[in-house]
Amino acid sequence: MELPKRAGNAPVPVDLEAGKRYAYCSCGLSESQPFCNGKHRGQGMAPTVFVAEETKTAYMCTCKLTSNPNGFCDGSHKKPV
Ligand code: FES
């Protein structure tokens, strides 16, 4: 299986809390998008862990094409596949 797997075609809004740690799914296998649920194990991949800098609603990538280091949507899902 080629990873990362495209888990969606649009970002999902999530409520982040300042100072809280999050694990963004980078393999695309998690059913808990956009967050890790451990499905990367044995796939040679790991989640992207970050601490939210502020409390806000963020739009997180599910297409796995974003260049943002924390998994925030950068509009790359609009690119043709
Ligand atoms: S959902 Fe991946 S860049 Fe927008």
Side-chain angles (χ1 to χ4, degrees):
M1 178 187 313
E2 187 174 331
L3 295 176
K5 176 186 165 204
R6 191 173 180 121
N9 296 313
V12 291
V14 295
D15 294 327
L16 301 181
E17 188 179 320
K20 189 172 174 185
R21 184 176 161 270
Y22 295 91
Y24 169 72
C25 168
S26 58
C27 69
L29 298 176
S30 171
E31 292 94 1
S32 303
Q33 293 296 323
F35 298 118
C36 174
N37 72 351
K39 285 285 176 76
H40 63 276
R41 291 190 188 106
Q43 302 294 330
M45 297 190 77
T48 300
V49 177
F50 68 97
V51 176
E53 293 181 3
E54 57 183 317
T55 298
K56 67 175 184 178
T57 299
Y59 290 84
M60 307 283 305
C61 172
T62 62
C63 76
K64 308 306 173 186
L65 298 173
T66 185
S67 295
N68 182 280
N70 290 340
F72 298 122
C73 174
D74 67 357
S76 295
H77 62 274
K78 296 176 185 169
K79 295 177 186 170
V81 184

